[in-house]
Structures are given as C-alpha cells and as structure tokens.
C-alpha cells in the first residue's frame, strides 16, 4: 500500500464513520458531532467532568483528549491511566476492574464518560461503562472492528469505525476526538485562533 492509498483509506473510514444514539438510532456524522459537542458542553456548564478511558493506544488517545479539553476547551477532564493506580487496581481487584473501581470513587451524576476501545470488547472498558451507568453518567463510545461489538450498544452516543485494523481505528478515533474539540471551539476555521 502506498502512502496515498493509506491516506485515502483513512479518509474513507472517517467519511463513513457511523454514529448512533439510544433514542433516534442512526445519526448522520454531523448530527453525531452536534450531539457529542452538546454532551461535552452540557457537562461543563453543569460543573461536571469528562472522564476518558482506554487501553494501550486508546489510553494514549484518552490522555491526549483530556489534556486538550482542559487546556484548550476549559473543560474539567481526567483519565485513570496513572501507573500506580492501574497496577494497584489490577493487582487487588483484577485487570477487568481497573477503570470501574476508579469510576466508583470519582464519577458523579451528570458527568460524562468517553470510552474508547478499538475492538469494543475490552472487559475493563465494558465494566467501566456499566459502572458509569449506575452513577447516572452520560456516555460516549468510540469503537471499531465488529459492527455488533458490545460497546457500540452502550452509549448515549456511539461512533463506530468499520475496520479491523488497529492503526486505522486508532487514527480515526484520534481524528474524531480532535474534531469534537476543534468544531466546538471553531478552530477548524482559522488556525490563528488557537491558544
């Protein structure tokens, strides 16, 4: 595959990203972004926080998004990826509980959880989303691989990338996360407006 073919493939995946919600079902990409921006804005306006989780490359995306939301969006945001916390929770409660145990301590009603999983099948992510639901958090999911993956069914807003290639799904998820922030801030219009 050439560089241009690689870029063309990513463009197609992002163009065809599927958005769904729990009320209307299938959404256009614009409707999905509008809903996501509204969820983030409503959370911030109400004094809530955005919590972002993911494993591996998705953890890096989570950390990147959290920093950008705080620094550039003025939104309280956090991840649960600190090494001591992960190893403590994993050792004491099992890896499948590393995020849900932390959410149980930090999540409040009205907070927003963004759950990122390429496969949409990571048990620790699914457990965390279930915990977020019990705490009345709103939930955005980003997934890929199997179109029937369980994570894709769990959010108030779900974005799905139709690929089983980790790199392509992760790059698409990163682009989607930047789009949430950039579109809500109007930065896509003029780079000179960026802080």
């Amino acid at each position: 595959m050439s560089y241009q073919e690689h870029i063309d493939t990513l463009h197609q995946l992002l163009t065809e990203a599927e958005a769904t919600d729990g009320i209307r079902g299938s959404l256009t990409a614009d409707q999905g972004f509008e809903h996501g921006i509204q969820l983030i804005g409503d959370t911030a306006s109400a004094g809530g926080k955005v919590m972002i989780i993911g494993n591996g490359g998705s953890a890096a995306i989570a950390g990147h998004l959290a920093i950008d939301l705080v620094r550039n969006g003025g939104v309280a945001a956090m991840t649960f990826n600190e090494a001591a916390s992960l190893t403590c929770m994993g050792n004491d409660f099992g890896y499948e509980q590393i995020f849900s145990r932390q959410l149980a301590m930090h999540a409040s009603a009205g907070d927003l959880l963004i759950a990122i999983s390429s496969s949409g099948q990571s048990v620790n992510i699914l457990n965390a989303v279930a915990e977020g639901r019990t705490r009345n958090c709103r939930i955005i999911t980003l997934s890929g691989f199997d179109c029937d993956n369980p994570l894709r069914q769990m959010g108030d807003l779900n974005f799905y990338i139709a690929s089983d290639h980790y790199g392509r799904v992760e790059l698409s998820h990163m682009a989607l996360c930047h789009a949430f922030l950039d579109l809500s801030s109007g930065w896509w219009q003029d780079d000179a407006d960026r802080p």
Side-chain angles (χ1 to χ4, degrees):
M1 176 179 278
S2 70
Y3 172 74
Q4 188 59 52
E5 290 170 326
H6 179 71
I7 295 301
D8 290 345
T9 299
L10 289 174
H11 177 263
Q12 181 179 355
L13 288 171
L14 285 165
T15 301
E16 297 174 357
E18 298 177 26
T20 57
D21 73 7
I23 298 169
R24 294 173 286 182
S26 185
L27 306 172
T28 67
D30 282 338
Q31 289 172 328
F33 275 105
E34 184 179 307
H35 188 41
I37 289 166
Q38 181 180 358
L39 286 170
I40 293 169
D42 289 351
T43 301
S45 295
K49 62 189 165 296
V50 178
M51 302 165 291
I52 311 146
I53 57 172
N55 295 304
S58 297
I61 294 168
H64 189 136
L65 179 58
I67 293 299
D68 281 354
L69 283 170
V70 169
R71 180 183 176 276
N72 301 329
V75 176
M78 63 189 295
T79 66
F80 301 112
N81 294 332
E82 199 272 322
S85 297
L86 291 178
T87 55
C88 171
M89 296 297 168
N91 184 64
D92 292 353
F93 304 107
Y95 190 75
E96 58 280 348
Q97 301 299 324
I98 60 171
F99 297 126
S100 58
R101 296 295 287 215
Q102 293 183 81
L103 268 164
M105 297 303 297
H106 293 285
S108 299
D111 285 346
L112 175 63
L113 174 63
I114 300 177
I116 309 169
S117 171
S118 292
S119 71
Q121 297 187 37
S122 300
V123 175
N124 59 351
I125 300 293
L126 300 175
N127 287 342
V129 170
E131 183 65 35
R133 277 277 173 238
T134 67
R135 302 197 174 276
N136 295 315
C137 294
R138 289 169 290 190
I139 296 163
I140 296 175
T141 73
L142 286 79
S143 66
F145 288 35
D146 184 354
C147 65
D148 293 324
N149 75 68
L151 184 61
R152 187 179 181 196
Q153 315 303 317
M154 298 177 76
D156 299 295
L157 174 63
N158 308 285
F159 276 93
Y160 168 73
I161 301 298
S163 175
D164 60 0
H165 186 280
Y166 271 106
R168 293 175 189 155
V169 174
E170 288 172 350
L171 284 169
S172 297
H173 285 168
M174 188 75 246
L176 292 172
C177 288
H178 264 291
F180 280 131
L181 187 60
D182 294 350
L183 292 173
S184 65
S185 303
W187 291 345
W188 62 275
Q189 296 174 355
D190 186 355
D191 284 343
D193 293 339
R194 297 189 70 166

